[in-house]
Amino acid sequence: MLSREQIIDAAIGLLDSGGEGALTVRALSERLATGSGAIYYHVGNRDQLLDTATETVITSALETESSQAVATPEEEIRRVALALFDAIAEHHQWLATRLTLQIVRNPAGPVTVEIFERIGRQVGALGVPRASWFDATSTLVHYILGAVSQNARMDGDTSGIQPDMDREEFFDATSTAWQELDPENYPFMHAIVGQTKQHDDRDQFLTGIAIVLAGLTHLR
């Protein structure tokens, strides 16, 4: 008998393989060898299915992360951030966009509430004054979502750059273009050319988290 979980798993498979465009009721019906009525009965319409798929992936990522022992608030924030980073990297075809939409459109939804609660508790534990909790937590969440979304688009969607250009080729081309700039007018760009080609996205992401956390100490 077809279950809700089977439908969601199949939907995530379609999304991972071809992005949002690949997820249609017809494609899902064919994959599950069922009629569209069964899909609508279990998960509702396509938008509801996309929301449910997003909730399923994010909830699973955060549950896996929370099973580990945590020593400090900073470490917990980094682990939550990396759980989101890794989930979006794994589902780069679609998850970044859907996660952002959920947070914007459904501030009372389980995804938004869970992310803000998990990070917000640690902001309080860092000693940030209560009056600054919302601004501080929002800043962290905005950085996390912005950074992981940019990384996901680099991995999964290079349209607008070159359709057949992968990440390494993109940064090689970028470095070459920056090297051709006038060094007198653009000394900083010349100074970071080597770093651009060699940087690790995950390490860069964690550096950003560290910068934000260091800034929060001034709110104490």
Side-chain angles (χ1 to χ4, degrees):
M1 183 176 179
L2 184 66
S3 68
R4 187 172 186 271
E5 289 71 24
Q6 287 175 307
I7 294 172
I8 295 168
D9 287 345
I12 292 172
L14 287 171
L15 289 165
D16 286 345
S17 64
E20 285 193 37
L23 180 60
T24 64
V25 174
R26 180 176 180 179
L28 193 55
S29 298
E30 291 176 353
R31 173 167 288 202
L32 293 168
T34 188
S36 60
I39 294 173
Y40 289 124
Y41 173 78
H42 284 289
V43 296
N45 60 33
R46 182 175 180 274
D47 282 340
Q48 291 172 316
L49 178 55
L50 282 164
D51 286 344
T52 301
T54 302
E55 292 171 11
T56 299
V57 172
I58 295 300
T59 299
S60 176
L62 293 177
E63 285 177 350
T64 300
E65 176 276 329
S66 65
S67 66
Q68 305 175 46
V70 176
T72 66
E74 292 90 345
E75 183 65 17
E76 169 69 356
I77 288 171
R78 283 192 288 270
R79 288 183 177 180
V80 170
L82 282 176
L84 296 173
F85 183 95
D86 291 341
I88 289 176
E90 182 179 352
H91 304 279
H92 58 78
Q93 291 269 24
W94 62 281
L95 186 56
T97 299
R98 297 309 307 186
L99 176 57
T100 301
L101 285 174
Q102 279 229 19
I103 289 177
V104 171
R105 294 177 179 176
N106 193 10
V111 168
T112 306
V113 169
E114 184 67 18
I115 291 173
F116 269 83
E117 181 67 24
R118 293 285 295 280
I119 292 178
R121 287 184 192 178
Q122 306 311 316
V123 167
L126 285 170
V128 174
R130 190 184 187 95
S132 298
W133 282 4
F134 175 70
D135 288 344
T137 303
S138 295
T139 297
L140 271 166
V141 172
H142 291 161
Y143 167 74
I144 291 167
L145 293 182
V148 297
S149 295
Q150 180 178 340
N151 184 69
R153 290 188 175 92
M154 181 57 62
D155 284 342
D157 179 11
T158 54
S159 58
I161 304 170
Q162 284 185 20
D164 58 348
M165 183 179 289
D166 63 19
R167 180 185 182 283
E168 183 176 352
E169 290 172 332
F170 169 75
F171 282 115
D172 282 343
T174 299
S175 298
T176 299
W178 287 356
Q179 286 174 329
E180 294 173 354
L181 295 171
D182 184 342
E184 292 188 4
N185 291 330
Y186 300 98
F188 172 78
M189 303 304 286
H190 274 265
I192 65 171
V193 164
Q195 298 172 26
T196 301
K197 294 179 66 174
Q198 299 170 7
H199 83 278
D200 178 90
D201 290 332
R202 227 164 173 264
D203 289 343
Q204 185 184 62
F205 177 67
L206 287 175
T207 297
I209 295 291
I211 290 170
V212 177
L213 290 176
L216 294 184
T217 62
H218 295 288
L219 298 175
R220 295 175 182 172

